[in-house]
């Protein structure tokens, strides 16, 4: 596989279950090492053994998974989940700065920042997926991998999330790698 995805553009990867779509995504994200070939990001080979480079890569490459409930820690409220990503990716530990950035990230994905105090079980599937998107985009990555990101949602909510992802891509020059088994969604 050789992919070229300019910033602000989207690329769909479609295939049936078991065809390797998620494995490809995991390799791109550095979560799985390829058994052959190489992974390059922005023209530079990815060195999985270089912890400093991998840390920087994690900030530029983020993922939104299929299961909106399973991707969030049930013991953390929505705001804490988003703040955790901010701290891990940008090292921001100042609580006032975190609160401000988290509120802005939640608002940007169409959620009332007050929902940040709720736990995943208190949110709908669409709201949880919006929290997951806020968490993935708070540090302004360059590539967002959406691995079956809408397949667990109702059709009307799928359309809202797809529109949101398109808006974020346009607004921030975010490249989207959209993995799905559903051609209509892609």
């Amino acid at each position: 596989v050789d992919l070229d995805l300019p910033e602000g553009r989207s690329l769909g990867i479609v295939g049936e279950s078991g065809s390797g779509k998620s494995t490809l995504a995991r390799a791109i994200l550095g979560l799985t090492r390829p058994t052959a070939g190489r992974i390059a990001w922005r023209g530079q080979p990815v060195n999985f053994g270089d912890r400093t480079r991998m840390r920087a890569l994690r900030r530029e490459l983020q993922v939104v998974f299929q299961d909106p409930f399973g991707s969030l820690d049930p013991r953390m409220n929505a705001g804490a989940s988003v703040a955790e990503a901010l701290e891990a990716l940008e090292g921001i530990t100042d609580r006032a700065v975190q609160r401000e950035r988290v509120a802005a990230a939640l608002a940007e994905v169409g959620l009332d920042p007050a929902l940040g105090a709720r736990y995943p079980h208190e949110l709908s599937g669409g709201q949880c997926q919006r929290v997951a998107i806020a968490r993935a985009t708070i540090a302004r990555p360059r590539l967002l991998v959406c691995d079956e990101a809408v397949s667990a949602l109702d059709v009307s909510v799928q359309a809202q999330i797809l529109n949101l992802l398109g808006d974020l891509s346009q607004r921030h020059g975010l490249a989207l790698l959209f993995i799905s088994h559903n051609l209509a969604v892609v």
Side-chain angles (χ1 to χ4, degrees):
V1 175
D2 186 359
L3 304 174
D4 184 14
L5 182 55
E7 74 177 40
R9 301 298 305 263
S10 300
L11 176 68
I13 297 181
V14 182
E16 57 190 45
S17 295
S19 64
K21 303 179 304 292
S22 293
T23 301
L24 175 62
R26 293 178 62 77
I28 290 169
L29 293 164
L31 301 174
T32 298
R33 291 183 187 212
T35 55
R38 69 184 184 103
I39 303 289
W41 170 247
R42 299 175 65 200
Q44 299 296 315
V46 174
N47 179 355
F48 292 97
D50 183 345
R51 293 175 60 99
T52 303
R53 177 70 180 124
M54 288 305 294
R55 185 173 189 85
L57 190 66
R58 299 259 183 268
R59 183 168 182 214
E60 293 188 20
L61 310 177
Q62 284 293 304
V63 63
V64 177
F65 293 106
Q66 175 178 4
D67 181 7
F69 294 103
S71 67
L72 299 175
D73 187 335
R75 297 167 298 175
M76 295 176 75
N77 66 36
S81 289
V82 177
E84 181 182 48
L86 185 61
E87 187 170 335
L89 297 170
E90 289 190 4
I92 295 175
T93 57
D94 182 290
R95 298 296 177 220
V97 172
Q98 282 184 354
R99 277 192 301 277
E100 183 179 310
R101 293 274 305 271
V102 167
L106 291 174
E108 184 171 50
V109 298
L111 292 175
D112 182 337
L115 290 177
R118 292 192 184 168
Y119 289 85
H121 71 274
E122 298 174 310
L123 300 171
S124 69
Q127 288 171 326
C128 281
Q129 199 62 302
R130 288 174 186 271
V131 171
I133 293 168
R135 181 182 59 191
T137 59
I138 194 163
R140 295 291 177 250
R142 298 176 66 93
L143 172 68
L144 184 63
V145 176
C146 300
D147 190 3
E148 299 279 4
V150 297
S151 65
L153 305 172
D154 293 337
V155 175
S156 62
V157 178
Q158 284 181 3
Q160 293 171 10
I161 297 297
L162 292 172
N163 288 334
L164 169 63
L165 291 169
D167 291 346
L168 290 172
S169 175
Q170 294 277 317
R171 192 175 312 133
H172 300 295
L174 177 65
L176 295 174
L177 181 65
F178 205 87
I179 297 171
S180 181
H181 65 275
N182 186 336
L183 278 173
V185 166
V186 173

